[in-house]
Amino acid sequence: MSEFTANTASREIQRLSKMCVDNNHIEQSLYDKYQVKRGLREPSGKGVLTGLTEISTVIGSKEIDGVLTPTEGELRYRGIDVNELVEGFTNGHRYGYEEIVYLLLFGSLPNQAELDKFNQLMGYNRKLPPDFVEDVILKNPNKDVMNAMSQAVLALNGYDKRSDDTDIPNVLRQSISLIATMPMIAAYSYLSYRHYMLRRGLYLHNPKPELSTAENLLRMLRQDKKYDEAEAKLLDMALVLHAEHGGGNNSTFTTHVVTSSGTDTYSAMAASLCSLKGPKHGGANIKAMKMFQDIKANVKDWYDDDEIAAYLKRILEKDAFDHSGLIYGMGHAVYSLSDPRAKILKKYTLELAERKGRENEAHLYKTVEELAPKVIAEKRKIYKGVCTNIDFYSGFAYDMLGIPEEFITPLFAIARVAGWSAHRIEELICDSKIIRPAYKSVAADASYIPITDR
């Protein structure tokens, strides 16, 4: 045989790839024939019911006189409207994320004494095993911070003597530890990448037990450790709004599926992290941010509605930005008329924009928010309302906070580990069946052919 070189390997991969494509094509008509719910969604867009939960409620439509009708979006944590929760902790001049974590995990709001004790417990758990940062995070820098986080979470399994114990007290201990340390894992993973791959200075700040998650995050990410209260409050709000979003979203459903197999907490959380990083899920916020960077660079007059609308049409016609034909930050799988998270984040983002003198950008965002649904409606048939989702304003918020692009999806994960933990515990308590939906084989029967006859 001739020598197998890199070029030979590349050509062989190309040949085998074509074979993969040719031999794995399923006719689209078969999905309709066998009534396959692609994406686990009904033809109407409604999700296929695969489980029950008490952790959160996501509403984008309601059945009125037997007809599924779009409504203003609602998000409820343990039955409580997220707007009421936000109003409660902001009026009390408190950071809200830890209070929301308590609610999601335990099913009720804490009184002041319970919240104080829980904050102490979170502060106590804001520590990683000795030498973990040096041996696991710094020695394995990764340009993909989400992958670095997954690797670190899996590595924690080896430091836990009861890693495979799925009794609720042990899983709760592991969950609280992960919620408390995920900001450190994410920040240090990013700073490792920044130092070893971008060749910039390395600094590692320890979290302070008495500070909130949002305050500690800003403190760890910034070299001078400085931040103001308005910045920390906006970041805290983002964490609250990203903490949980029902059992059917891709990463949370992953939590349920993996948990149902009986595996350990670290494996379940790592799997959820891997799901979240996908550009169709948690990675979508980066797409929205990049789209606005493109709009800012190509629209000369941010106060000219006609120029903005024309560029949005170009994006929709695959003639601009990433040529996908998508206006990112618009539309949602469940919400139709409004995304309650987007409305809340918009309010606090615009307030910070005014404080930082970035009113021109704020005006551009508000104009795109107003024009995009009209542009989309002109070009495409709309089956339900098109509204801004939480990704729309989050990029602007994170840019004002100095959050680097590589850290945007990890920030989502830092918040969502609370929801994943609550769902893992619910799955362990309520169901002992492994999740195993059906796939129908449509392959034709074939006979074995001896190698000499092939």
Side-chain angles (χ1 to χ4, degrees):
M1 294 180 66
S2 60
E3 182 184 0
F4 208 86
T5 66
N7 286 336
T8 307
S10 178
R11 287 195 298 271
E12 183 64 5
I13 288 294
Q14 290 299 318
R15 185 185 72 82
L16 293 172
S17 295
K18 184 178 185 306
M19 189 183 299
C20 280
V21 173
D22 292 343
N23 293 333
N24 285 282
H25 178 73
I26 297 175
E27 291 295 334
Q28 297 300 302
S29 60
L30 293 178
Y31 289 94
D32 294 330
K33 177 180 178 180
Y34 295 110
Q35 298 182 323
V36 177
K37 305 298 191 296
R38 304 197 73 181
L40 287 181
R41 305 200 73 75
E42 302 283 1
S44 66
K46 185 178 181 181
V48 174
L49 187 62
T50 59
L52 304 175
T53 184
E54 291 185 332
I55 296 167
S56 70
T57 309
V58 183
I59 299 173
S61 59
K62 294 181 180 178
E63 195 167 299
I64 301 175
D65 297 329
V67 178
L68 200 63
T69 305
T71 60
E72 295 294 336
E74 293 181 39
L75 173 60
R76 294 177 176 272
Y77 291 165
R78 295 288 187 174
I80 306 172
D81 192 304
V82 71
N83 289 285
E84 293 181 29
L85 290 167
V86 167
E87 184 178 356
F89 66 74
T90 54
N91 287 346
H93 305 289
R94 301 186 304 276
Y95 289 97
Y97 180 65
E98 289 73 22
E99 195 168 333
I100 295 303
V101 171
Y102 187 102
L103 173 63
L104 293 174
L105 288 177
F106 309 118
S108 62
L109 287 168
N111 60 33
Q112 189 62 58
E114 290 169 333
L115 181 58
D116 290 343
K117 183 67 73 175
F118 185 67
N119 283 335
Q120 288 181 320
L121 181 61
M122 287 279 286
Y124 172 79
N125 277 280
R126 291 192 201 281
K127 55 188 177 184
L128 291 165
D131 302 321
F132 183 86
V133 176
E134 293 81 358
D135 292 343
V136 175
I137 297 178
L138 295 184
K139 288 184 179 178
N140 297 283
N142 194 320
K143 69 181 187 300
D144 190 314
V145 179
M146 289 291 285
N147 280 354
M149 292 169 65
S150 302
Q151 185 177 21
V153 168
L154 281 174
L156 283 172
N157 180 286
Y159 292 79
D160 187 344
K161 293 180 180 178
R162 299 176 60 200
S163 61
D164 295 325
D165 183 350
T166 57
D167 285 346
I168 297 305
N170 189 57
V171 172
L172 180 60
R173 171 188 66 83
Q174 293 169 330
S175 298
I176 291 173
S177 176
L178 283 170
I179 294 167
T181 57
M182 198 64 78
M184 301 164 64
I185 292 171
Y188 297 160
S189 294
Y190 166 72
L191 293 169
S192 174
Y193 153 76
R194 180 182 182 273
H195 175 65
Y196 291 105
M197 306 187 87
L198 299 183
R199 302 300 179 187
R200 300 176 68 183
L202 179 66
Y203 55 88
L204 299 175
H205 305 319
N206 291 325
K208 286 191 171 183
E210 68 273 18
L211 297 180
S212 69
T213 300
E215 291 172 296
N216 270 314
L217 263 171
L218 291 176
R219 185 176 184 277
M220 288 188 290
L221 285 173
R222 295 179 176 180
Q223 189 166 359
D224 62 6
K225 306 184 227 180
K226 293 180 180 178
Y227 57 89
D228 64 37
E229 186 178 24
E231 292 176 320
K233 287 291 178 69
L234 176 57
L235 183 54
D236 178 70
M237 190 64 65
L239 294 174
V240 165
L241 297 174
H242 279 108
E244 162 60 9
H245 207 238
N249 70 79
N250 196 276
S251 58
T252 305
F253 187 58
T254 297
T255 304
H256 278 279
V257 171
V258 178
T259 295
S260 76
S261 75
T263 195
D264 65 278
T265 298
Y266 303 102
S267 295
M269 293 300 108
S272 300
L273 282 164
C274 291
S275 165
L276 186 71
K277 68 164 284 192
K280 293 182 181 180
H281 190 12
N285 46 25
I286 294 178
K287 280 288 191 179
M289 184 179 187
K290 285 181 177 293
M291 182 191 73
F292 267 100
Q293 291 171 350
D294 180 77
I295 292 172
K296 290 172 187 177
N298 288 282
V299 173
K300 294 179 180 179
D301 187 350
W302 296 356
Y303 286 81
D304 186 335
D305 288 8
D306 291 338
E307 185 183 2
I308 295 170
Y311 197 73
L312 291 176
K313 288 178 183 177
R314 287 186 58 197
I315 292 175
L316 207 61
E317 293 167 353
K318 302 183 181 182
D319 185 42
F321 184 44
D322 66 352
H323 307 289
S324 67
L326 299 174
I327 298 178
Y328 295 98
M330 300 301 302
H332 190 269
V334 177
Y335 298 124
S336 50
L337 301 184
S338 64
D339 179 342
R341 304 167 303 166
K343 293 170 74 172
I344 295 170
L345 190 63
K346 173 184 177 180
K347 175 179 181 294
Y348 288 90
T349 299
L350 295 182
E351 286 178 1
L352 187 63
E354 186 174 353
R355 285 172 57 91
K356 289 184 174 286
R358 296 178 67 169
E359 292 91 347
N360 288 343
E361 288 172 88
H363 177 82
L364 176 63
Y365 272 83
K366 288 187 289 184
T367 303
V368 171
E369 179 183 16
E370 179 185 348
L371 295 177
K374 299 175 184 177
V375 170
I376 294 170
E378 288 175 8
K379 294 288 182 181
R380 296 184 183 161
K381 188 173 182 179
I382 306 299
Y383 294 94
K384 63 186 185 71
V386 176
C387 62
T388 54
N389 58 48
I390 193 169
D391 295 329
F392 189 86
Y393 279 98
S394 64
F396 187 26
Y398 298 149
D399 183 51
M400 288 191 291
L401 294 175
I403 302 294
E405 181 182 303
E406 300 91 340
F407 201 75
I408 290 178
T409 307
L411 190 59
F412 194 159
I414 290 167
R416 186 57 63 84
V417 70
W420 295 336
S421 297
H423 280 275
R424 172 167 169 77
I425 291 169
E426 186 178 63
E427 180 70 29
L428 289 169
I429 291 172
C430 297
D431 206 333
S432 60
K433 283 186 174 292
I434 187 170
I435 295 174
R436 192 189 185 286
Y439 266 65
K440 180 178 180 60
S441 173
V442 291
D445 290 345
S447 299
Y448 175 79
I449 303 172
I451 194 167
T452 54
D453 297 334
R454 295 174 203 166

